[in-house]
Amino acid sequence: MQFMDKVKIRIVSGKGGNGIVAWRREKFVDKGGPAGGDGGNGGSVYLVADAGKSTLMDFTYKTVFKAENGESGMKKSMHGKSAKDLFIKVPSGTVVRDLKTGNIIADLTDDGQKILVAKGGRGGRGNIHFCTPQNRAPQYCEPGEPGIERNLELELKLIADVGLLGMPNAGKSTFISRVSSAKPKIADYPFTTIIPNLGVVKKHNGDGYVIADIPGLIEGAGDGVGLGHDFLRHVERCRFLVHIVDSTAENPLNNYKIINNELSKYSQKISKLYQITALNKIDAITPERLEELKNEFKNAGVEKIYPISAVTGAGVEDLKNEIEDKVNTIPKPETEYVVEEDLAATDNDDSYWEVHKLAKDVYDVTGGKIIRISQVINPRVTEQVIRLQNTMKAMGIMDELKKAGIQNGDTVIIGKLELEYWDDEMYKQEF
């Protein structure tokens, strides 16, 4: 199994469907009137925390997620179907960052917690909505709003009550397999564990807590040496730490100090977490050596030592009782993340436009909103063309065309539309 704890993804919400221009044409119905339906809303994109997931590996194979578009409106005042929202499951403990701004927009810690990251476009209104006493036969409708496209970074910081620390081959994986139902890979060589292992330990009252084996801590881990730099972030959410020390090592106390030094270099907050110290593999040393190690640790300021053998189970129950007691009394640490208000998730505005002079008498108008409006324009219907011109005036496009030197009779290209420019005021000035 490959462990992934940081990925980049692109998400796209659905476009809203266009409204349409339609009319009632039923036998024996006089002056049926407008009957163009509305377009359906595009699908929104949500991120949902799932406690059943423990890695971002799924996003290795798929990094682009698109919601469906809304359907266009139909005749007989029938609205287009709105698209289903897209829910993307991520592991609990996922921090979401907007790559454009660098802001953290979510910290999904609770199972089922969800956040909107891209709102679907609203469907456009059909001509049935534009009927007034003055205009009983409106010849125009609205286009649907665009979707939202964003690039996000997902960073997983595992949610565990207890973090297991220790040098490679100290026996952390053996211990977690002893106290929980986790089945990590175990072997007698360094770096057996290359992914964090999670296990659920049952309490005496029937409840449980999560314990995490954090791999790869060696000297220099805080500076990125070995695997430790990649996984130290997963300790940040733990209530406290259990430091497993290999009693058969050449200098167990020195190894203990190395690990704590790396914690201090990485984060002062982590280094100040409460620690329980356990001397493992006591089945492989003499009682005299055990007493010697206890005295060494006591002289170094470690008040309480739990001698255990994860292989035989000796002393494990006492350590479990101490861990359970601390789980019940030590609260979860508060997150340091500042979650910014995510305005980009609901910003469907694409009103930006530009005017380009392609030739002496040809001008091109580009921009999301004006292109969308042009898609619901029939150039053979005068009322629709007039509405397009009024919209262009309101947006400032007509003034920009005049600044660019447009003259009567010149061609204006908007998307697939090609229109002939005409300004009565300009004509009056000529004559």
Side-chain angles (χ1 to χ4, degrees):
M1 177 183 174
Q2 182 182 4
F3 182 76
M4 296 292 297
D5 61 356
K6 186 180 286 189
V7 295
K8 295 178 181 178
I9 63 171
R10 183 162 65 94
I11 52 113
V12 184
S13 61
K15 303 175 183 176
N18 294 332
I20 68 164
V21 175
W23 310 96
R24 289 185 63 184
R25 292 183 175 87
E26 300 177 29
K27 192 175 183 180
F28 307 121
V29 177
D30 185 35
K31 300 176 183 177
D38 300 345
N41 296 328
S44 298
V45 181
Y46 292 85
L47 295 180
V48 185
D50 184 356
K53 291 182 173 290
S54 59
T55 175
L56 296 171
M57 185 178 176
D58 291 345
F59 300 96
T60 304
Y61 309 104
K62 183 178 180 181
T63 59
V64 180
F65 298 86
K66 295 183 178 180
E68 296 179 352
N69 298 329
E71 292 183 352
S72 295
M74 294 171 281
K75 300 177 181 180
K76 297 184 179 180
S77 304
M78 291 188 294
H79 300 334
K81 182 181 179 181
S82 292
K84 292 182 179 179
D85 293 333
L86 176 61
F87 296 92
I88 305 172
K89 292 184 178 181
V90 298
S92 296
T94 300
V95 178
V96 186
R97 181 178 283 103
D98 184 350
L99 287 175
K100 184 177 181 180
T101 63
N103 293 337
I104 293 176
I105 60 175
D107 184 12
L108 303 174
T109 57
D110 300 324
D111 186 33
Q113 182 182 355
K114 69 177 181 180
I115 179 177
L116 172 68
V117 289
K119 183 181 179 182
R122 180 178 59 84
R125 294 179 294 175
N127 68 332
I128 189 174
H129 290 281
F130 300 101
C131 183
T132 65
Q134 292 76 28
N135 184 6
R136 297 187 178 185
Q139 292 279 357
Y140 45 81
C141 60
E142 284 182 340
E145 282 185 342
I148 296 174
E149 183 173 337
R150 306 180 70 183
N151 293 309
L152 304 176
E153 180 185 74
L154 308 180
E155 182 179 4
L156 174 60
K157 299 199 175 184
L158 295 176
I159 297 178
D161 297 290
V162 185
L164 289 183
L165 298 179
M167 283 287 191
N169 208 23
K172 302 187 299 297
S173 297
T174 305
F175 176 77
I176 201 173
S177 67
R178 165 72 66 174
V179 299
S180 73
S181 58
K183 303 297 180 185
K185 179 182 177 182
I186 301 171
D188 189 20
Y189 53 86
F191 293 109
T192 302
T193 304
I194 58 175
I195 65 173
N197 292 309
L198 291 178
V200 178
V201 183
K202 190 175 182 181
K203 294 183 181 180
H204 290 96
N205 63 3
D207 197 3
Y209 59 87
V210 179
I211 188 168
D213 169 13
I214 308 300
L217 283 182
I218 61 174
E219 188 170 9
D223 299 320
V225 178
L227 302 174
H229 181 71
D230 294 328
F231 297 118
L232 273 172
R233 69 172 67 97
H234 299 297
V235 183
E236 294 179 1
R237 298 186 188 272
C238 296
R239 298 173 188 261
F240 61 94
L241 307 173
V242 175
H243 198 145
I244 305 291
V245 181
D246 183 359
S247 62
T248 65
E250 182 177 350
N251 194 333
L253 180 59
N254 186 54
N255 289 345
Y256 173 84
K257 291 179 178 179
I258 288 174
I259 295 296
N260 283 328
N261 183 50
E262 296 307 321
L263 292 182
S264 299
K265 288 163 61 176
Y266 182 80
S267 168
Q268 286 297 317
K269 177 184 175 183
I270 294 178
S271 67
K272 293 178 181 178
L273 289 177
Y274 181 82
Q275 279 195 28
I276 298 174
T277 305
L279 274 175
N280 192 25
K281 303 183 183 180
I282 60 171
D283 57 305
I285 62 174
T286 64
E288 293 77 16
R289 175 57 176 162
L290 176 59
E291 289 302 317
E292 182 182 333
L293 289 175
K294 284 183 178 180
N295 291 329
E296 287 182 12
F297 276 82
K298 187 175 182 179
N299 293 333
V302 182
E303 298 181 359
K304 181 71 174 177
I305 293 287
Y306 287 85
I308 66 167
S309 172
V311 173
T312 65
V316 171
E317 195 63 30
D318 290 339
L319 179 56
K320 278 182 62 178
N321 292 336
E322 176 65 12
I323 293 173
E324 181 176 332
D325 179 66
K326 290 298 183 286
V327 168
N328 293 334
T329 56
I330 297 178
K332 290 184 179 180
E334 295 182 2
T335 178
E336 293 182 347
Y337 298 116
V338 178
V339 179
E340 304 287 346
E341 184 180 3
D342 189 19
L343 300 178
T346 55
D347 185 9
N348 297 86
D349 181 32
D350 64 344
S351 57
Y352 177 78
W353 52 266
E354 288 183 346
V355 171
H356 303 278
K357 188 172 184 177
L358 303 182
K360 181 180 179 180
D361 57 352
V362 180
Y363 297 81
D364 182 44
V365 179
T366 60
K369 181 177 180 179
I370 194 64
I371 296 296
R372 288 189 294 108
I373 294 174
S374 72
Q375 293 172 349
V376 294
I377 296 296
N378 183 346
R380 294 189 295 270
V381 180
T382 303
E383 187 177 347
Q384 293 187 18
V385 176
I386 292 174
R387 182 174 175 82
L388 173 63
Q389 291 174 342
N390 291 335
T391 302
M392 292 172 65
K393 287 180 181 178
M395 295 176 65
I397 297 176
M398 300 299 269
D399 290 337
E400 187 63 25
L401 286 170
K402 291 178 182 178
K403 290 179 183 178
I406 196 167
Q407 299 294 320
N408 284 340
D410 290 351
T411 300
V412 178
I413 300 174
I414 309 173
K416 296 181 179 180
L417 283 181
E418 289 192 15
L419 303 172
E420 182 180 332
Y421 181 82
W422 187 263
D423 185 353
D424 290 335
E425 294 299 324
M426 188 179 296
Y427 177 79
K428 292 177 183 178
Q429 292 175 7
E430 292 176 357
F431 296 93

